Each structure stands twice: as structure tokens, then as C-alpha cells.
Amino acid sequence: MSAPKVVIIGAGIVGANLADELITRGWSDVTVLDQGPLPRTGGSTSHAPGLVFQTNTSKSMTEFAKYTVGKLLDLDCFLQVGGMEVATTPARWEDLKRKHGWATSWGVPGSIIDAEECVRRWPLLDGSQVFGALHTPTDGLARAAKAVEVLAERATSRGARFVGSTRVTDVLHEGGRVTGVRTDQGDFPADVVVSCAGFWGREIGAMVGMDVPLLPLAHQYVKTGRVDELVGRNTEEVEASLPILRHQDQDLYFREHVDRIGIGSYAHRPMPVEESTLDNSVTETAMPSMLPFTEDDFAPSWEESKLLLPALRQTKVEEGFNGIFSFTPDGQSLVGESADVRGFWLAEAVWVTHSAGIAKAVAELLVDGRSETDLHEVDVHRFEDVQLAPSYVSETAQQNFVEVYDILHPLQPKLSPRDLRVTPFHARQRELGAVFLEAGGWERPHWFEANAPLLKKLPHDALPPARDAWSAQFHSPIAAAEAWHTRNGVALYDMTPLKRVEVSGSGSLEFLQSLNTNQLEKSVGSVTYTLMLDEAGGVRSDVTVARLGPELFQAGINGNIDVDHLVKHAPDGVRIRDITGGTCCIGVWGPLARDLVQPLSREDFSHTGLKYFRARKARIAGVPVVAMRLSYVGELGWEIYTSADNGLRLWDALWAAGQPLGVIAAGRAAFNSLRLEKGYRLWGTDMTTEHDPYEAGVGFAVRPAKGEFLGRAAIEGRSEDTASRRLRCLTVDDGRTVVLGKEPVFVDGVASGYVTSAAYGYTIGRPIAYAWLPASADVGSGVEIEYFGRRVAATVAAEPLVDPGMERIRR
């Protein structure tokens, strides 16, 4: 079979890299189009300052940056001068220690250096201004424009075509599949079209009816006049030798241009750009991605620059511009295929830093069907519909611009927009003093101030120790009371925001069987925990499937990415319907759960009447529900579903009936602690497509004997015994240090893995951390977690930590 015909829209650093990656994998019929002249088309690549700082809170984004560095080095288009991020405040100094932990976790070499060493590496720096820096020797400067030329020449020599001055006016499609593109120079047929158009990506996406959630924003960049201290240090060919420098406390970065300094600033007001208003002509002095410099916006940054680098006082800003690039609601890139027009793909909001890595991932998706690097953080389908509204994209993208260099806590929620999606119980939760954090547009209670008096009633050994200032943020000790009450009484949890779909129609069972690892051919009323794998056996999701009828299933999934996956594979006759917004769910859990629910229903909620992992339709206080005997917290109880219009009545009935039993509402903080004590995984955090089921400790959900399913061939012969790495449960030896995730873990003094999920275990009285480690780190092994630069001893523990015999959940 011949390779597909591919058209790439955009000949910048992403499009050129993608063409090269596809050609390398044997797809030779590749055409790259750009509205601007070649090779400098007028897009963001043409003027990119090229700083590549690899370390990122995201493992995937760090992997993309590392690949980009390696590839550009091979192309002789990278100056590996290293990178320095300086701290001028105590908070930043501590944050650099945390960031050094990320670098260690993701395999990026780096070290924390003091002020004296900073000045040695950057002689223009005023050492009295800084505490120190994070130094990363493999960071550096991408010569982006030169790289595009080299990549285009290489791809062209192997069969690709690059066509400039050709504006795409439409993306052609028929019967739900792309057929080509229309341009002002004629039509180009294609089986695959990939938009790498940068901040024009919204316009290209609209051609297939796709909402592309990015916002073009202007960002200031200037060049100073000659700096005497740099004269003779560099040449036109090797224009920089000092490390690239970030002064994030003032939203600034610096690099050399021979004997001048380039300065980029995020310290100014957000400047949204409407791309339809731009002049797309390109000349030697002007291009659409470069707007006139607004001097007043830069004035405060210039003063801060002279404070940090006193040598700048003898020069001035000689030239500057406001350059356009893309921001998204969560600050990440956009990668994926249209849900409605197959064959139309995006690789947008990609900075030079990650360009080659993301291009490689897209090429792997197209050629092999999956990327070696997990992509859920950049998948274009990760957003909910409400998050695609232009007003939402505009506000959140601008806020991401403002916060791009801020110190952000991993639990820190948006301040605005809020209350976009609330459950039917929201008013009652507010009355109980719920403290809401936000995810996917949903307001989710993390604890309830009404439960504060319960802290005084806890046994002394159930009171958690005080936390350090960082882990205490967006946390309350009230979570301890809620967890204790769940283990010893009964609590109501709002589970509504968890995504669920209805799968129905002729062939539904066979369809679900083909995508899932576990046996789903069971009686009506069965509930099954199962996995969806990718072609290489990686865990692309874990799913809970309830069979509610012969051809009717309800699946609890992990988000819109799963919806797209199901829809993409569904055959004719099978219907996938997202029912999340029209339904709601209350988790009723605890040893007194049956005492609460049974008197409200004529149905049999006894252990034998509704067994573990079974579901049934019932009425509770007259409300029609579907009750599933599940427990993500490891206690007796049910997930109780009803329609959204009945939700408040259900809550009120359970609340009123539960008063004699001491029922409480409990939040996500307690929930997370309880699920870790039971060893329950969180997809996207504890396991992704980069892990197979046996490594992740969920091999029990794989039934190869049932027949074919996606990924089955790839995991044949694998088992827990063959795994070279494992997701391990750790308990922290000091009993008090609560880490938050992504910290490096050392085995025998060597960085060997990283933390995924973590919480204080209120039942066991110790902090818990799950971590990826070599399989040799077995139960009882001592390890160390690096937390803000200090090593914390921990021990690999047998799991689950609570109720390993499952007596509590099955009573």
C-alpha cells in the first residue's frame, strides 16, 4: 500500500520538522504550503529568539524539548550555551529547588548554583541581586530560521515539496474525510492535512468547523545597543557564549546577539491579536508576526533589566517589536485529529522549544498510530465544550500569559472564570462551607468548613501533623476528619464531574470488547473495571463499564479524549452519548452506608441482594436511580446515579435520613487520601500510554483469553514478572513530609524514578507516595524522595495499605 498524500499547512519550525519526520518514516508524498515566501515566511519562527529551556512541570513537554535539542544539535542549528534561571526572592529560590527536582525526575542534567557561581558564568550579572540559580548545561539557543532551511533542504532532497506564497483558502472534505486543500494557486489533493499554521491555526481549523482553542498574543522583544563587556567575545557565526538567562521574578529573559543583548518580556499587559486584521505581506523589514513596538509597555522592564545587568546602563534599547505567538487555556500545545473530519490534524501552539519533539510525535501518530511519548496533556480533545467558547479561551489564555513565569502551586485553581459547571448539589455544598477547586470547568468541593468541629472529636492518633508552607496551600486538616468519618461512619461524595458515556445499539458489546482488556460479556447488571490500550499495549485509559441492558452500557471514562477514541472506533449502529451533564452521581460510602440507604428503598441493598461490582435500577426516596456497588475509597457503599433534575431531591433525602447516623459531605482531599490507601490508580497521573498494565499494577484487568482487543498482541508474553519497572507504593519514614508529585526518587543514591500521586494517609498515619521505580526496588526497600532540595527517606510498601483482604468493602 502506497503512503498517503500529505499536505502540511505552515512552513515554520513545526511544519518543516514534521515534513522531515514523515519523510524519515517513509512517507514521501509530502507537500508543505505557506502563505509567505520561502524560507522566511513571516510567521513566528522567522523572528523567534530561540531560547530552549528544557525543564518543564510536564514530563512529556520536557521529553519534546530534549528531542528538539538533540535534533537541532545534529543539524548544527543549536548553540548549547546552557541555561540559567536566577532567583531574586526567597520564594523563587525555593521554587528553583523544586524545578531542579523536575529536571532530575525527567533526566535533564542541572544543578543549583550560588550567587558567586552565577557571576562567574554570567559576568554582567550583579551578584548582590540574586540568591543563586538553576543551571542546566544542555539548554541553549535554537537557530530556528536556519533549522527550517536545513530541514526543508533535507526533506526536499528525499521527495517532499515546499511551496511558498500560496495561501490556503479552504480545507476540502467529503463524507467526513479530508480530500485536500484549496489555495489561491489551485487545489492540492490530500489524504492527510496537518495544520502547523501557528497563530493562524484558528482560521485553518474553522475551515472544517473545528474550534481551535488558541489566542494570538503579542510579546515584546528588544535588542540593546553595543555592550562594551561583550565586544570581542562572540562572532556573527557563533553569536552567543553566555548561558541563556531567565529572570522570572520580573518576567524577563536575556540572550546575546554578538555584542548586544536581546531581552524578552512577559511583564506587560496582555495584547490579544485578531489575525484577520494582519497584513500578510512579507518584506525585509516587516512581516505579519511582528507588530510595532510599544515603548511605554517595555519601560518598567528596561529599568529592571539594568538592575540585574548593570552593564546595560551604558547602552539603550536600539530596536524592538511586539512578536505574535499562541497561547491556550492551559498553556499547553494542541495536537490531534478532528473529531468530525478524519484526516485533518493539528499541531498548533507549539513553541520552538518543543517543535521537533512534537513533530516527531505527530509523525508517529500518523505513521504508527501512536506516539512513544504520552500526549494526553496536549491532546486537542482534552477540553470540555464550555472551554472552547471564544470568551473562555480569550480570558484564560491571557491569564496564562500573565502567569507564564509565576510560581504556581499544583492545586492552584483559576480565579476566573468560575462557576461554569456546577452539580445539582452545589447550593447545598455552599451552605456547608465547601471550598471549591476547579477542573474541566467543574466546581469540585475539596473539603467542607462545616466539618471543622469534627476535628475536635477525632482520636488523638488520627490528627495529622502540621504541614510545611508549600504542601499546606489549598489544603485543610478538615480533610482528616472527612477521611476518618468515611472510614468509621458514612459520607456523601459528589462524583458528578467524572465523565460518563452511554454506549448503545446493535453491536455495542462486540464494540466494547474490541477496545477493552477485560471480559465484558457478562450478565445484565454486571460492572467491570477494564482498560483501553493503544497499539503498543500502553494504557490509554481505565474504564468502569456497567451493563444496564443487552445492548446498553454506561462507561465511566477519563474525559473527552476517551469520547473521541470511542467515537472514532464506533461502527455503524453503535451510539456514543456523553451523559455527564444530564446526570449526577453521589458516592455514599462508609460502614454505615447500608443503614442510610436501605430504609429509603424497597430494593434489596444487602450484600447478597446487590453484590460488589453489580448495578441495578432502583428507587431511593422515590427517586429513580442506578446504583452501582463500587467504592473508590475502599469502604462499603454505592455510586448512585440519577438524572440532573432529580439530583437535589436525592441529595436532600439522603442528607435528611442520614442525620441520626451523623452523615457528612466529604471532598476531594479526603477522597484522594482514601483511594491511595487502597492503591487505586489515577489515569493520566499514575499511568499513561507510556506504561503497560503489568508495570502499572493493573494486570488483573487484562483477560487475553477472551479474544482480540486493541493492544492484545503487543502485551502478549508480558507479565508482572517481566516488567523492568513498577508503580510502587511508598510510605514516608518521618511520618510528616507530604510531597505533591513529580519529585525524583533515589534508589541507592541514584535518581531512578519519580513520584506520581501523593497524599497524607489519614488511616495509616503516614504520608503516601506512589512512584515509578525499577522493578528491583521491592517491598521493604529503602528509597529517598527529593523534596525542595532535601532527601526524605521512604520505604517501598506492600499494597493496599488498608484492608488488603477487602473485608470492609464487601460486607
Side-chain angles (χ1 to χ4, degrees), residues 430-484:
R430 289 177 66 92
E431 292 168 3
L432 293 170
V435 175
F436 294 96
L437 302 186
E438 179 268 347
W442 285 103
E443 296 296 320
R444 292 160 43 128
H446 272 241
W447 67 86
F448 292 84
E449 292 294 335
N451 294 328
L454 297 176
L455 280 170
K456 298 177 182 178
K457 301 178 182 180
L458 289 183
H460 180 73
D461 60 0
L463 289 170
R467 293 193 176 200
D468 67 274
W470 183 253
S471 64
Q473 292 186 53
F474 307 102
H475 166 78
S476 169
I478 293 172
E482 295 178 1
W484 188 90

Side-chain angles (χ1 to χ4, degrees), residues 40-51:
R40 302 207 173 192
T41 63
S44 301
T45 301
S46 302
H47 59 73
L51 282 75

Side-chain angles (χ1 to χ4, degrees), residues 396-682:
T396 54
Q398 289 184 62
Q399 188 61 28
N400 274 315
F401 179 91
V402 170
E403 296 176 347
V404 67
Y405 280 171
D406 287 1
I407 300 169
L408 300 176
H409 193 276
L411 292 176
Q412 190 162 326
K414 294 180 178 68
L415 296 178
S416 176
R418 293 295 295 268
D419 292 336
L420 296 177
R421 308 179 81 187
V422 298
T423 75
F425 327 124
H426 186 71
R428 299 292 186 263
Q429 292 166 346
R430 289 177 66 92
E431 292 168 3
L432 293 170
V435 175
F436 294 96
L437 302 186
E438 179 268 347
W442 285 103
E443 296 296 320
R444 292 160 43 128
H446 272 241
W447 67 86
F448 292 84
E449 292 294 335
N451 294 328
L454 297 176
L455 280 170
K456 298 177 182 178
K457 301 178 182 180
L458 289 183
H460 180 73
D461 60 0
L463 289 170
R467 293 193 176 200
D468 67 274
W470 183 253
S471 64
Q473 292 186 53
F474 307 102
H475 166 78
S476 169
I478 293 172
E482 295 178 1
W484 188 90
H485 213 82
T486 306
R487 291 275 188 241
N488 295 278
V490 61
L492 306 183
Y493 287 82
D494 185 355
M495 305 299 290
T496 303
L498 302 184
K499 178 74 76 173
R500 51 198 165 274
V501 295
E502 182 183 271
V503 181
S504 62
S506 177
S508 296
L509 173 62
E510 292 77 11
F511 164 64
L512 288 172
Q513 286 276 71
S514 72
L515 292 184
N516 283 274
T517 61
N518 214 334
Q519 176 60 265
L520 302 179
E521 191 170 0
K522 301 176 181 177
S523 61
V524 172
S526 64
V527 182
T528 306
Y529 176 81
T530 181
L531 309 171
M532 292 194 293
L533 307 181
D534 67 12
E535 290 80 355
V539 181
R540 64 165 300 131
S541 191
D542 63 342
V543 186
T544 302
V545 179
R547 190 174 194 180
L548 303 180
E551 297 286 359
L552 176 64
F553 298 84
Q554 180 175 312
I557 57 177
N558 282 296
N560 276 346
I561 298 173
D562 287 349
V563 176
D564 178 67
H565 180 64
L566 292 168
V567 170
K568 181 184 295 185
H569 287 86
D572 292 342
V574 173
R575 183 185 182 197
I576 313 295
R577 187 166 69 96
D578 184 348
I579 61 173
T580 312
T583 57
C584 58
C585 178
I586 302 173
V588 183
W589 290 312
L592 300 181
R594 188 171 287 120
D595 297 331
L596 171 55
V597 171
Q598 186 61 81
L600 298 177
S601 180
R602 294 182 178 180
E603 302 293 333
D604 185 359
F605 279 83
S606 69
H607 177 61
T608 55
L610 183 55
K611 295 181 179 179
Y612 188 52
F613 266 83
R614 297 290 296 180
R616 73 143 52 107
K617 292 182 179 180
R619 291 185 183 273
I620 295 176
V623 177
V625 303
V626 173
M628 298 186 192
R629 180 85 182 276
L630 306 174
S631 178
Y632 206 48
V633 300
E635 293 294 332
L636 169 68
W638 306 268
E639 292 180 0
I640 302 176
Y641 296 87
T642 190
S643 56
D645 58 326
N646 280 309
L648 186 58
R649 186 157 65 104
L650 177 63
W651 178 280
D652 286 346
L654 291 168
W655 186 258
Q659 291 311 298
L661 302 171
V663 70
I664 66 164
R668 297 292 299 183
F671 180 90
N672 193 51
S673 170
L674 296 168
R675 69 102 180 166
L676 285 177
E677 290 182 328
K678 283 299 295 180
Y680 294 149
R681 278 61 170 149
L682 178 62

